[in-house]
Amino acid sequence: MPQITLPDDSKKDFNDATSPRGVAASIGSGLAKAAIGGMVNGVLVDCDHPINEDADVSIITAPRKKEEPSPEALHLLRHSAAHVMAEAIQRLIPEAKLVYGPPLESGFYYDMALPEGRPIREEDFKAIEDEMKAIISEDRTFTRYELSCDEGMKKLAEEGSKYKIDNAERAIEGGATTLSWYATGQAGEHWEDLCRGPHVPSTGLIGAVKIMSVAASYWHGDADSDHLTRVYGTAFFHEAALAEHVQQLEEARQRDHRVIGRQLQLFVIDELVGQGLILWTPRGAVLRDELQRFIGEELKRQGYQEVFTPHIGKLDLYRTSGHYPYYQESQYPPLIDQDQMKRLSDEGCSCSDLANMMRDGEIDGYLLKPMNCPHHIRIYSSEPRSYRDLPIRLNEFGTVYRWEQSGELGGMTRVRCFTQDDAHLFCTEDQIADELAGCLEIVKIIFNTLNMTDYRVRVGLRAEEDGKYVGEPANWDKAEDACRKAAASLGVPFSEEPGEAAFYGPKIDFVVRDVIGREWQLGTIQVDYNLPERFDLAYTGADNSKHRPVMIHRAPFGSWERFIGVLIEHFAGAFPFWLSPEQIRVLPVSEKSADYATELHGRLRSIGLRADLDDSNERLQARIRNAAMMKIPYLFVVGPRDAEAGTVSVRAHGIEKDLGAVKMDALLDSAEREARTRGKHTILQDHFPDASGT
């Protein structure tokens, strides 16, 4: 007689075992019809999953048209679509052997071993989709059945797929007491696959599917193992949602920062230098420098003090902080003294012995710094501190190094060397709220200035059962409470996510939605009671006794590389005037106006604007097209009449026509003010108000 607790804390008693479908039916026929699965004690399950005991239950429903589906609903749908795709491929290529096919955040894939000489290419996608649509149109039920482990292994041995046998063995090693299959239809009659589920009730609920791409993969991710084919697809409940997704992908392709970055000459990734290592060109350096000056002004206003620290530190420093060996897999190998290395080699020391000796502290070395915080801590502890000194706010545009796997690298958004707009605040417990408010103020100023106002907040908390966290539970409680209160003060949606804290403290992450709807995790703020404890930091209080400061880590941009990569895509390379590497290009109509163009160019440069002069022999329209390709905010075109009248003809990026002529002095004043106010006042507002919304 299970008692079911619903999301609103109401309770329902059942005389016999029930299911999510049964719970939905007890609430209403409409809910039962819309139900496609359930959450039982936090676990996603099928609609007909048996519930024999008391449980917390919520019903997962299919979304209505134009309604945003829940992540759980999409998971069910896409896992089911992966099965449908696998069946469709095996209809076309019966010899294909299936490996595994999980759902993803944006779709799903299926790894499979294809017969030699029968690859899947892009020209096969339509045939696969047609087969999938046929299966969907049959609206067959997803039927689950279970066998004992012995029976299941016997069945798999008879079928002879080493991949499915391996999957089953792994499930049994993980504690499975039975093995389950899902048939798209009737068991023993229709197509089926070894799978633990869950799935939607029937194939007909899959409203729209598309094969996206095909790639090579390896069994167990091992390049020395079997070579497999990975087919990617996506699925939605409605065709309109799929169309919107495809349009967004095309927009994202056109905004790809790797392509635009090359086009606008912002950065270079060079094979000889190394993957994941960004070379900033002069134009990219301007972009980076403008952002640094922008945030630097806010930091000075809030009383931050800039510091500089070395790119390496002793292993003992990172042993004390816990970064070594905690982050060992994402760090570059330690640097060991050459004489010591030779001596150990002569003694027959193996690589594993060396690693153990470094881990245990028997020998020392240096590490390319993965974090700036231990260095800032040592600056704090370099002299006695009083409560009168606090808060102390240290900031550094510090470069750090992380060893990312080559397959995880991606342009500027995932790199091996990056510079953080990093800062560490040392304060008393009573000062935490005010200091967090100051950190949040900087974040809001950045997002508002860059017109990135669509964002949400994520509070990363520790997972109680996870042993990776250091420090006293009482301190964690205080730090997490401070983060919750700070997030609530922003007035935007925020979520709590257990398990997402740093190993030394909870954090506040900012997840920004760009102009085409993609989400990016950018800035972060962390409250830390633990590193001050590990480094035995102290200050003298008003009672003349020693007290422990609290540490706040904050990086509003996160890293220049990632943030600028996101900005490139957000603006599609058409940066605001104040941020653009080249703000204005001066174009003389002909040689007759060359002297006047040179005068205008000189005056622009003299007031600190980034202006270039294009007096090449190309036709004017060709020079205008070249400037448009470089996404320059304004073109100042001058001809003989402008020279006589002291005017300048203005063109703005994104507006096809010549906007009109403005007196040079008035135009220079407006241009200087647009740069200085970072877009609060613009040339368009001052002189072409009817064009400002174009």
Side-chain angles (χ1 to χ4, degrees):
M1 185 175 178
Q3 183 180 74
I4 303 304
T5 302
L6 299 171
D8 63 359
D9 287 332
S10 64
K11 301 184 186 301
K12 280 185 170 289
D13 293 318
F14 291 81
N15 293 327
D16 299 303
T18 187
S19 65
R21 192 191 305 276
V23 173
S26 74
I27 297 171
S29 59
L31 182 61
K33 185 177 179 180
I36 60 172
M39 295 290 291
V40 177
N41 294 329
V43 178
L44 186 62
V45 299
D46 296 322
C47 255
D48 294 318
H49 176 81
I51 306 174
N52 302 303
E53 300 176 346
D54 294 355
D56 294 333
V57 176
S58 59
I59 307 303
I60 308 302
T61 59
R64 299 184 182 92
K65 284 185 178 179
K66 297 184 179 180
E67 184 179 66
E68 191 75 18
S70 69
E72 295 81 10
L74 282 176
H75 181 101
L76 287 165
L77 182 82
R78 288 168 176 168
H79 192 186
S80 304
H83 274 228
V84 171
M85 182 182 76
E87 179 179 357
I89 290 172
Q90 285 196 317
R91 282 186 178 185
L92 298 168
I93 312 173
E95 302 86 0
K97 292 188 179 297
L98 304 178
V99 184
Y100 25 62
L104 304 169
E105 185 177 347
S106 60
F108 55 87
Y109 71 80
Y110 219 114
D111 279 351
M112 56 192 67
L114 297 175
E116 190 172 348
R118 182 55 177 96
I120 291 177
R121 298 188 175 95
E122 190 170 345
E123 51 263 35
D124 297 310
F125 290 1
K126 184 178 185 304
I128 298 171
E129 288 172 2
D130 288 344
E131 290 292 340
M132 292 178 71
K133 290 174 183 176
I135 296 167
I136 290 167
S137 68
E138 294 170 17
D139 195 20
R140 287 191 261 129
T141 301
F142 278 95
T143 305
R144 176 189 175 102
Y145 71 91
E146 295 184 4
L147 297 175
S148 69
C149 291
D150 288 342
E151 290 176 308
M153 292 302 296
K154 182 180 177 181
K155 171 181 168 64
L156 293 171
E158 291 171 354
E159 293 174 354
S161 171
K162 68 177 184 180
Y163 305 112
K164 293 301 179 180
I165 290 172
D166 180 74
N167 290 348
E169 288 174 344
R170 287 168 174 260
I172 294 168
E173 289 172 6
T177 56
T178 61
L179 297 175
S180 59
W181 276 258
Y182 278 81
T184 46
Q186 295 300 313
E189 180 181 341
H190 292 101
W191 184 91
E192 62 182 35
D193 193 13
L194 175 73
C195 179
R196 66 180 181 182
H199 292 283
V200 294
S202 71
T203 62
L205 285 161
I206 305 172
V209 293
K210 186 175 180 60
I211 307 302
M212 304 303 297
S213 62
V214 63
S217 64
Y218 303 101
W219 194 22
H220 298 159
D222 182 356
D224 295 326
S225 188
D226 292 12
H227 288 225
L228 305 173
T229 297
R230 178 169 294 180
V231 185
Y232 287 95
T234 193
F236 290 87
F237 285 94
H238 305 290
E239 286 284 355
L242 174 60
E244 182 181 345
H245 176 73
V246 171
Q247 181 180 359
Q248 185 185 83
L249 290 177
E250 176 59 24
E251 181 74 13
R253 186 187 65 79
Q254 294 177 8
R255 290 170 177 265
D256 189 329
H257 73 276
R258 295 164 295 187
V259 176
I260 294 175
R262 286 194 299 271
Q263 176 189 328
L264 301 187
Q265 302 165 8
L266 300 175
F267 65 91
V268 173
I269 300 175
D270 186 272
E271 286 290 344
L272 192 58
V273 174
Q275 287 295 306
L277 304 174
I278 303 300
L279 301 176
W280 293 89
T281 62
R283 284 177 175 269
V286 168
L287 194 62
R288 178 170 163 164
D289 184 60
E290 281 297 320
L291 287 170
Q292 186 166 322
R293 290 202 300 121
F294 164 43
I295 192 172
E297 292 172 8
E298 297 302 323
L299 296 178
K300 288 178 182 176
R301 184 176 60 81
Q302 285 200 11
Y304 282 78
Q305 303 171 79
E306 188 168 11
V307 298
F308 298 91
T309 62
H311 290 240
I312 63 173
K314 290 181 67 175
L315 276 177
D316 274 348
L317 176 69
Y318 296 104
R319 289 191 185 104
T320 303
S321 69
H323 292 105
Y324 186 86
Y326 178 74
Y327 280 122
Q328 188 171 348
E329 290 184 358
S330 60
Q331 294 167 354
Y332 279 84
L335 308 170
I336 308 299
D337 178 83
Q338 292 183 8
D339 291 337
Q340 190 175 31
M341 283 288 288
K342 184 177 184 309
R343 178 179 60 78
L344 291 169
S345 177
D346 291 343
E347 293 173 357
C349 179
S350 68
C351 291
S352 60
D353 290 338
L354 179 63
N356 290 336
M357 293 170 73
M358 287 188 294
R359 182 196 62 208
D360 297 338
E362 296 178 30
I363 60 173
D364 209 345
Y366 287 81
L367 196 66
L368 283 170
K369 65 177 178 180
M371 303 281 189
N372 296 304
C373 39
H375 294 256
H376 293 187
I377 287 171
R378 297 308 292 170
I379 290 175
Y380 174 91
S381 63
S382 64
E383 58 182 282
R385 306 290 183 177
S386 162
Y387 72 97
R388 293 187 179 89
D389 301 324
L390 271 55
I392 292 173
R393 309 181 187 99
L394 305 179
N395 78 278
E396 176 180 15
F397 299 103
T399 301
V400 297
Y401 302 85
R402 309 277 175 81
W403 177 256
E404 301 284 1
Q405 298 297 319
S406 58
E408 296 174 342
L409 298 173
M412 295 177 74
T413 57
R414 195 74 179 264
V415 293
R416 288 173 171 160
C417 166
F418 56 91
T419 301
Q420 295 177 304
D421 62 317
D422 215 355
H424 296 94
L425 294 71
F426 302 87
C427 62
T428 68
E429 278 196 3
D430 293 341
Q431 295 168 334
I432 291 175
D434 287 343
E435 292 308 302
L436 286 177
C439 294
L440 295 175
E441 181 187 3
I442 291 177
V443 172
K444 288 191 286 187
I445 288 170
I446 290 170
F447 288 166
N448 287 335
T449 302
L450 292 169
N451 195 29
M452 302 176 82
T453 53
D454 186 3
Y455 65 92
R456 61 184 176 87
V457 175
R458 183 172 63 202
V459 180
L461 308 174
R462 70 196 187 282
E464 296 290 349
E465 70 281 0
D466 197 324
K468 75 176 184 179
Y469 305 103
V470 299
E472 294 298 322
N475 287 337
W476 272 92
D477 291 341
K478 288 186 286 188
E480 289 178 342
D481 186 56
C483 287
R484 286 189 185 96
K485 289 178 178 176
S489 73
L490 279 167
V492 299
F494 79 92
S495 60
E496 297 182 10
E497 300 196 13
E500 291 301 315
F503 76 94
Y504 48 77
K507 60 180 181 174
I508 304 171
D509 290 330
F510 298 88
V511 182
V512 178
R513 188 186 294 268
D514 68 15
V515 292
I516 61 172
R518 298 169 302 176
E519 289 195 330
W520 303 89
Q521 193 273 306
L522 296 176
T524 187
I525 301 170
Q526 300 165 2
V527 178
D528 181 5
Y529 280 78
N530 293 310
L531 287 185
E533 190 78 30
R534 293 175 75 93
F535 281 92
D536 194 26
L537 300 186
Y539 67 89
T540 302
D543 59 0
N544 212 33
S545 299
K546 293 294 183 183
H547 298 269
R548 189 80 71 202
V550 180
M551 190 173 173
I552 297 174
H553 311 243
R554 49 108 287 202
F557 285 125
S559 82
W560 293 128
E561 286 74 10
R562 180 176 174 80
F563 194 87
I564 290 175
V566 172
L567 276 189
I568 291 171
E569 299 197 3
H570 181 67
F571 290 116
F575 299 108
F577 180 72
W578 68 272
L579 193 55
S580 184
E582 182 182 348
Q583 296 170 311
I584 298 165
R585 187 169 290 185
V586 178
L587 305 177
V589 172
S590 65
E591 289 186 6
K592 295 179 182 179
S593 47
D595 290 343
Y596 185 59
T598 301
E599 177 192 350
L600 172 60
H601 177 242
R603 289 193 62 183
L604 288 166
R605 299 294 291 265
S606 71
I607 59 175
L609 296 176
R610 297 184 291 278
D612 283 346
L613 171 65
D614 183 357
D615 56 359
S616 65
N617 292 326
E618 285 191 283
R619 295 172 60 86
L620 177 62
Q621 286 304 314
R623 285 181 283 150
I624 290 173
R625 284 196 300 272
N626 292 341
M629 287 289 292
M630 295 301 290
K631 303 179 186 288
I632 298 162
Y634 292 112
L635 305 184
F636 288 179
V637 183
V638 292
R641 290 182 182 176
D642 291 302
E644 290 178 11
T647 60
V648 177
S649 296
V650 179
R651 284 177 171 266
H653 181 75
I655 302 175
E656 295 295 327
K657 63 182 181 180
D658 184 328
L659 295 175
V662 180
K663 287 289 187 180
M664 183 192 291
D665 287 345
L667 185 59
L668 293 180
D669 286 345
S670 293
E672 187 277 333
R673 185 164 64 159
E674 181 167 351
R676 175 169 43 82
T677 64
R678 297 193 173 95
K680 291 181 180 177
H681 301 277
T682 70
I683 290 173
L684 295 181
Q685 290 170 350
D686 288 348
H687 303 290
F688 310 104
D690 292 338
S692 61
T694 304

mmCIF file of all heavy atoms in Angstrom, residues 581-602:
data_model
loop_
_atom_site.group_PDB
_atom_site.id
_atom_site.type_symbol
_atom_site.label_atom_id
_atom_site.label_comp_id
_atom_site.label_asym_id
_atom_site.label_seq_id
_atom_site.Cartn_x
_atom_site.Cartn_y
_atom_site.Cartn_z
ATOM 1 N N PRO A 581 38.104 46.744 -32.612
ATOM 2 C CA PRO A 581 39.536 46.982 -32.845
ATOM 3 C C PRO A 581 39.796 48.146 -33.800
ATOM 4 O O PRO A 581 40.735 48.907 -33.621
ATOM 5 C CB PRO A 581 40.013 45.660 -33.441
ATOM 6 C CG PRO A 581 39.068 44.634 -32.908
ATOM 7 C CD PRO A 581 37.741 45.334 -32.848
ATOM 8 N N GLU A 582 38.981 48.248 -34.831
ATOM 9 C CA GLU A 582 39.042 49.406 -35.736
ATOM 10 C C GLU A 582 37.679 50.064 -35.682
ATOM 11 O O GLU A 582 36.676 49.479 -36.098
ATOM 12 C CB GLU A 582 39.386 48.970 -37.160
ATOM 13 C CG GLU A 582 39.511 50.126 -38.129
ATOM 14 C CD GLU A 582 39.813 49.700 -39.567
ATOM 15 O OE1 GLU A 582 40.153 48.506 -39.774
ATOM 16 O OE2 GLU A 582 39.696 50.545 -40.477
ATOM 17 N N GLN A 583 37.640 51.292 -35.178
ATOM 18 C CA GLN A 583 36.352 51.935 -34.944
ATOM 19 C C GLN A 583 35.825 52.663 -36.167
ATOM 20 O O GLN A 583 34.622 52.669 -36.429
ATOM 21 C CB GLN A 583 36.473 52.907 -33.767
ATOM 22 C CG GLN A 583 36.801 52.202 -32.447
ATOM 23 C CD GLN A 583 37.146 53.172 -31.341
ATOM 24 O OE1 GLN A 583 37.974 54.079 -31.526
ATOM 25 N NE2 GLN A 583 36.522 53.001 -30.185
ATOM 26 N N ILE A 584 36.730 53.269 -36.899
ATOM 27 C CA ILE A 584 36.331 54.115 -38.033
ATOM 28 C C ILE A 584 37.319 53.887 -39.177
ATOM 29 O O ILE A 584 38.537 53.778 -38.942
ATOM 30 C CB ILE A 584 36.332 55.614 -37.653
ATOM 31 C CG1 ILE A 584 35.317 55.888 -36.532
ATOM 32 C CG2 ILE A 584 36.054 56.497 -38.856
ATOM 33 C CD1 ILE A 584 35.501 57.241 -35.855
ATOM 34 N N ARG A 585 36.806 53.814 -40.371
ATOM 35 C CA ARG A 585 37.686 53.799 -41.541
ATOM 36 C C ARG A 585 37.337 55.000 -42.412
ATOM 37 O O ARG A 585 36.166 55.206 -42.757
ATOM 38 C CB ARG A 585 37.549 52.507 -42.339
ATOM 39 C CG ARG A 585 38.568 52.390 -43.471
ATOM 40 C CD ARG A 585 38.594 51.003 -44.088
ATOM 41 N NE ARG A 585 39.156 50.028 -43.167
ATOM 42 C CZ ARG A 585 39.377 48.746 -43.491
ATOM 43 N NH1 ARG A 585 39.080 48.309 -44.714
ATOM 44 N NH2 ARG A 585 39.883 47.912 -42.606
ATOM 45 N N VAL A 586 38.357 55.767 -42.741
ATOM 46 C CA VAL A 586 38.178 56.967 -43.562
ATOM 47 C C VAL A 586 38.416 56.595 -45.022
ATOM 48 O O VAL A 586 39.447 55.993 -45.362
ATOM 49 C CB VAL A 586 39.141 58.086 -43.127
ATOM 50 C CG1 VAL A 586 38.970 59.312 -44.017
ATOM 51 C CG2 VAL A 586 38.913 58.450 -41.663
ATOM 52 N N LEU A 587 37.466 56.953 -45.892
ATOM 53 C CA LEU A 587 37.547 56.606 -47.311
ATOM 54 C C LEU A 587 37.441 57.874 -48.159
ATOM 55 O O LEU A 587 36.358 58.476 -48.249
ATOM 56 C CB LEU A 587 36.418 55.652 -47.702
ATOM 57 C CG LEU A 587 36.274 54.350 -46.918
ATOM 58 C CD1 LEU A 587 35.051 53.582 -47.399
ATOM 59 C CD2 LEU A 587 37.514 53.502 -47.066
ATOM 60 N N PRO A 588 38.536 58.321 -48.772
ATOM 61 C CA PRO A 588 38.420 59.420 -49.733
ATOM 62 C C PRO A 588 37.782 58.908 -51.024
ATOM 63 O O PRO A 588 38.081 57.801 -51.479
ATOM 64 C CB PRO A 588 39.867 59.844 -49.959
ATOM 65 C CG PRO A 588 40.682 58.632 -49.653
ATOM 66 C CD PRO A 588 39.927 57.870 -48.596
ATOM 67 N N VAL A 589 36.879 59.707 -51.616
ATOM 68 C CA VAL A 589 36.224 59.293 -52.849
ATOM 69 C C VAL A 589 37.230 59.165 -53.975
ATOM 70 O O VAL A 589 37.178 58.240 -54.788
ATOM 71 C CB VAL A 589 35.103 60.285 -53.213
ATOM 72 C CG1 VAL A 589 34.537 59.993 -54.591
ATOM 73 C CG2 VAL A 589 33.998 60.240 -52.168
ATOM 74 N N SER A 590 38.187 60.086 -54.010
ATOM 75 C CA SER A 590 39.214 60.084 -55.057
ATOM 76 C C SER A 590 40.439 60.820 -54.541
ATOM 77 O O SER A 590 40.463 61.314 -53.407
ATOM 78 C CB SER A 590 38.686 60.756 -56.326
ATOM 79 O OG SER A 590 38.436 62.143 -56.062
ATOM 80 N N GLU A 591 41.447 60.911 -55.394
ATOM 81 C CA GLU A 591 42.675 61.623 -54.999
ATOM 82 C C GLU A 591 42.393 63.086 -54.696
ATOM 83 O O GLU A 591 43.130 63.719 -53.931
ATOM 84 C CB GLU A 591 43.724 61.510 -56.104
ATOM 85 C CG GLU A 591 44.326 60.112 -56.237
ATOM 86 C CD GLU A 591 45.464 60.092 -57.243
ATOM 87 O OE1 GLU A 591 45.843 61.182 -57.742
ATOM 88 O OE2 GLU A 591 45.965 58.992 -57.532
ATOM 89 N N LYS A 592 41.334 63.634 -55.291
ATOM 90 C CA LYS A 592 41.028 65.046 -55.077
ATOM 91 C C LYS A 592 40.720 65.353 -53.611
ATOM 92 O O LYS A 592 40.898 66.489 -53.167
ATOM 93 C CB LYS A 592 39.840 65.453 -55.947
ATOM 94 C CG LYS A 592 40.122 65.393 -57.447
ATOM 95 C CD LYS A 592 38.892 65.782 -58.245
ATOM 96 C CE LYS A 592 39.147 65.686 -59.740
ATOM 97 N NZ LYS A 592 37.949 66.031 -60.538
ATOM 98 N N SER A 593 40.217 64.352 -52.881
ATOM 99 C CA SER A 593 39.888 64.579 -51.469
ATOM 100 C C SER A 593 40.869 63.880 -50.535
ATOM 101 O O SER A 593 40.588 63.700 -49.349
ATOM 102 C CB SER A 593 38.457 64.111 -51.184
ATOM 103 O OG SER A 593 38.222 62.829 -51.723
ATOM 104 N N ALA A 594 42.037 63.476 -51.049
ATOM 105 C CA ALA A 594 43.008 62.739 -50.244
ATOM 106 C C ALA A 594 43.530 63.579 -49.084
ATOM 107 O O ALA A 594 43.679 63.082 -47.959
ATOM 108 C CB ALA A 594 44.161 62.256 -51.117
ATOM 109 N N ASP A 595 43.847 64.855 -49.348
ATOM 110 C CA ASP A 595 44.395 65.702 -48.277
ATOM 111 C C ASP A 595 43.376 65.898 -47.154
ATOM 112 O O ASP A 595 43.720 65.854 -45.962
ATOM 113 C CB ASP A 595 44.814 67.065 -48.843
ATOM 114 C CG ASP A 595 46.039 66.961 -49.726
ATOM 115 O OD1 ASP A 595 46.746 65.923 -49.656
ATOM 116 O OD2 ASP A 595 46.282 67.902 -50.504
ATOM 117 N N TYR A 596 42.113 66.102 -47.542
ATOM 118 C CA TYR A 596 41.067 66.283 -46.531
ATOM 119 C C TYR A 596 40.867 64.988 -45.728
ATOM 120 O O TYR A 596 40.686 65.028 -44.503
ATOM 121 C CB TYR A 596 39.767 66.691 -47.229
ATOM 122 C CG TYR A 596 38.628 67.024 -46.284
ATOM 123 C CD1 TYR A 596 38.732 68.049 -45.337
ATOM 124 C CD2 TYR A 596 37.430 66.318 -46.357
ATOM 125 C CE1 TYR A 596 37.678 68.348 -44.482
ATOM 126 C CE2 TYR A 596 36.365 66.619 -45.511
ATOM 127 C CZ TYR A 596 36.500 67.632 -44.570
ATOM 128 O OH TYR A 596 35.454 67.924 -43.722
ATOM 129 N N ALA A 597 40.932 63.848 -46.397
ATOM 130 C CA ALA A 597 40.812 62.558 -45.705
ATOM 131 C C ALA A 597 41.960 62.368 -44.721
ATOM 132 O O ALA A 597 41.769 61.864 -43.604
ATOM 133 C CB ALA A 597 40.784 61.414 -46.720
ATOM 134 N N THR A 598 43.171 62.769 -45.136
ATOM 135 C CA THR A 598 44.328 62.646 -44.253
ATOM 136 C C THR A 598 44.155 63.532 -43.022
ATOM 137 O O THR A 598 44.481 63.132 -41.892
ATOM 138 C CB THR A 598 45.619 63.020 -44.998
ATOM 139 O OG1 THR A 598 45.770 62.141 -46.125
ATOM 140 C CG2 THR A 598 46.832 62.906 -44.093
ATOM 141 N N GLU A 599 43.634 64.755 -43.229
ATOM 142 C CA GLU A 599 43.377 65.653 -42.093
ATOM 143 C C GLU A 599 42.364 65.030 -41.131
ATOM 144 O O GLU A 599 42.557 65.019 -39.904
ATOM 145 C CB GLU A 599 42.847 66.995 -42.603
ATOM 146 C CG GLU A 599 42.476 67.961 -41.467
ATOM 147 C CD GLU A 599 41.679 69.161 -41.954
ATOM 148 O OE1 GLU A 599 41.560 69.358 -43.174
ATOM 149 O OE2 GLU A 599 41.131 69.887 -41.093
ATOM 150 N N LEU A 600 41.265 64.491 -41.683
ATOM 151 C CA LEU A 600 40.239 63.863 -40.858
ATOM 152 C C LEU A 600 40.821 62.677 -40.084
ATOM 153 O O LEU A 600 40.582 62.528 -38.876
ATOM 154 C CB LEU A 600 39.079 63.398 -41.744
ATOM 155 C CG LEU A 600 37.996 62.537 -41.083
ATOM 156 C CD1 LEU A 600 37.324 63.294 -39.938
ATOM 157 C CD2 LEU A 600 36.955 62.108 -42.122
ATOM 158 N N HIS A 601 41.595 61.847 -40.765
ATOM 159 C CA HIS A 601 42.209 60.681 -40.116
ATOM 160 C C HIS A 601 43.108 61.115 -38.967
ATOM 161 O O HIS A 601 43.075 60.535 -37.866
ATOM 162 C CB HIS A 601 42.995 59.881 -41.159
ATOM 163 C CG HIS A 601 43.714 58.709 -40.599
ATOM 164 N ND1 HIS A 601 45.094 58.580 -40.639
ATOM 165 C CD2 HIS A 601 43.266 57.606 -39.947
ATOM 166 C CE1 HIS A 601 45.441 57.452 -40.063
ATOM 167 N NE2 HIS A 601 44.359 56.840 -39.637
ATOM 168 N N GLY A 602 43.904 62.146 -39.180
ATOM 169 C CA GLY A 602 44.794 62.631 -38.135
ATOM 170 C C GLY A 602 44.039 63.154 -36.930
ATOM 171 O O GLY A 602 44.433 62.911 -35.779
#
